[in-house]
Amino acid sequence: MAEVSLRNVTKAWGSFTAVRDQSLEIRDGEFMVLLGPSGCGKTTTMRMIAGLEEPTAGDILIGGQRVNDLPPRDRDIAMVFQSYGLYPHMTVEDNIGYPLKLRGIKGAERAAQVRAAAAKVELEALLHRRPKELSGGQRQRVALARAIVRRPTVFLMDEPLSNLDAKLRVSTRAEIKHLQHELGVTTVYVTHDQIEAMTLAHRVAVMQGGEIRQLDTPEVIYDRPADLFVAGFIGSPPMNLVQGQHADGRFTAAGGFHAVTGVARHSGPAVLGVRPEDVTVAPAGQGDLDASIYAVELTGDAVLVTVQAGDSRIIAKADRAWRAEIGSSVALRLDASRLHLFDAASTKRLQPE
Amino acid sequence: MSGTRAAAARRRKLVVKAVESAILLLALFLILFPIVWMALTAFKRPVDLFDLTVTFTPTLDNFRTIFAAPWNIGAAVWNSTVVAGLTVLISIPCSTLAAYAFSRFEMRFKGALFFTILATQFIPAVVVVLPFYLLFRDLGLLDTHLALVIVNLAIVTPFAVWMLKGFLDAVPTESEEAALVDGATRLRVILDIVVPMVWPGVLVTAVFCFILTWNEFLFALILTRDDAVTLPVGITRFRTERGDLWELIAAAGILISIPMFLLSSVIQRHFVRGMTGGAVK
């Protein structure tokens, strides 16, 4: 059990900076997800914690001890890789037992610990197979068992679900969450999948361009995104973002789009954000804004209604029984308590007073 | 209409196949005929030598002769085995480590260094054979196994480094990183993870190195006299003042070829596996 600290860590290759002056405190027992698009520096950050990359500047601490100069084997971490990183020439049993073998744990004791770890991920029946005889999901469970077999102080997981099919991803995700809860080990988890981040994390660090854009609980990241990047990255379908002008607590956009924001002090170019589930499509004349239906898409659990309001297209999430003709007139109601306003120049969130 | 066109296509395919087969048969004949002829000669009595008939009474006399005095080819077999064996045993571990470093580590002047290793192969052997002779004479190493092993290492190791780097480059690094995190030192990673994953490549490289050393002639000719003579040099002794003893040359030729036949089957079996195995995902 240990906390992990990054202090002003930078990683650069020549003129390319993958991670820029990043500081991050991961608490003991916390499930921290590093979330961002590819190339945002999240994997590099994890590999520096693992000791597979050396930071160009800054310090990395595990359990209060500076580990910059320690090789991976002395950091007491375990890692799960995107492509599993199994040992193809060893059986499942030997794969899981390898970290124990390296620590001189022999014979019956090793076998018992391997069986216990295998039982946690339901692999007991496959101990004598080789990786190539396993399915993708089974391979990933071998990698998980290998990580938990020797109670490390930190788990590192690098997109562990991205090679699994959609159905398996959901069940494995729950297994990972359960395991982490049960073992209480500090976990750093890298993903580009916002659903994984939302479902798994105690806290999420949203990264872009080698920097953390926002670090907070999934609730806060979803309800109060710190800037335009986070607002657009989190949520599916994504948040509606409308370019316009803001003055005296009122937002206006071309074509008659308008909304009351409650932000008093800001005036100038701004972007208004509203999540599809916070937009209600009402009969014509019974809402804040007049609009017409642009498209209606049934996704199964909901209907996504795209409406034209002024020059802007807004997506609303409606009940799955909702129906309307394309082109018909409607009105929109925006949930005023769940509007997001961003300064157009700085892209930062403007907080209502 | 379309029926005749299909028939024409079928006929054309047949002709192409026939030509292909003919070319292959010709190539096979060109390669195999000298070997078959040598094998036949090795079992002939001297009187049958220049008889073109294929039917003759086979005899093992030629093999008995070359293993007996004064030829004592057994010594040359031993020398060749020791030299080639030691060369492979030293060269493969060293080359594996070097190739691993070139494949995985960032270092200054890596490209230049790697090219230099290759460049040593461009120097014709005749250019360095005299300096080597003088060097070994001064060291008192002429006509020893050690001298031949040293020279063969210089020939074989650069080649092995290149070949092994190719195999190592094809292996994904994720398993190695997993082992590093699991608690292994770099050397343990190489022994436990990397070598088993590229084992077919290591085996193929070792076989190539063995064959190169086994067949090496020029240095063995210049650097040995009596004690360390290898098979390719030993075979030249059958050109005597009484003329070329073809039946003995052929018998010794069979001896030289035996490891080639055995090892080529090893390569065949492992080469395909080496190309397709080891995938991780």
Side-chain angles (χ1 to χ4, degrees), chain A residues 47 83 86-87 89 98 103, chain B residues 174-175 177 179 182 192 281:
Chain A
R47 290 172 60 84
S83 315
L86 299 181
Y87 311 132
H89 55 289
Y98 189 66
R103 280 163 184 76
Chain B
E174 220 168 43
S175 300
E177 292 179 339
D182 277 348
D192 286 356
K281 260 190 207 172

Side-chain angles (χ1 to χ4, degrees), chain A residues 47 73 77 81 83-87 89 98-99 102-103 139 146 150 163, chain B residues 174-175 177-185 188 192-193 196-197 280-281:
Chain A
R47 290 172 60 84
R73 66 175 180 278
I77 48 171
F81 291 82
S83 315
Y84 321 136
L86 299 181
Y87 311 132
H89 55 289
Y98 189 66
L102 290 171
R103 280 163 184 76
R139 287 178 204 185
R146 187 177 61 185
R150 57 165 186 101
N163 282 332
Chain B
E174 220 168 43
S175 300
E177 292 179 339
L180 283 175
V181 173
D182 277 348
T185 60
R188 264 319 268 278
D192 286 356
I193 311 298
M197 280 170 81
V280 186
K281 260 190 207 172

Side-chain angles (χ1 to χ4, degrees), chain A residues 15-65:
Chain A
S15 61
F16 172 72
T17 306
V19 175
R20 198 184 307 272
D21 194 28
Q22 186 168 290
S23 295
L24 177 63
E25 299 286 332
I26 302 164
R27 297 169 196 141
D28 186 16
E30 183 172 34
F31 200 125
M32 170 70 74
V33 172
L34 306 181
L35 173 69
S38 56
C40 72
K42 57 191 191 297
T43 296
T44 306
T45 302
M46 167 170 286
R47 290 172 60 84
M48 285 192 288
I49 297 173
L52 296 170
E53 303 287 353
E54 240 176 275
T56 314
D59 290 330
I60 295 169
L61 292 88
I62 297 177
Q65 187 200 359

Side-chain angles (χ1 to χ4, degrees), chain B residues 95-96 98-100 102-103 110-122 155-169 201 205 209:
Chain B
S95 314
T96 306
Y100 183 83
F102 275 119
S103 175
K110 185 160 137 179
L113 211 60
F114 197 51
F115 182 75
T116 310
I117 287 183
L118 179 70
T120 59
Q121 299 288 70
F122 297 154
I155 298 170
V156 150
T157 307
F159 165 79
V161 170
W162 265 77
M163 201 160 160
L164 284 168
K165 181 177 179 288
F167 284 112
L168 286 169
D169 285 345
T205 310
C209 289

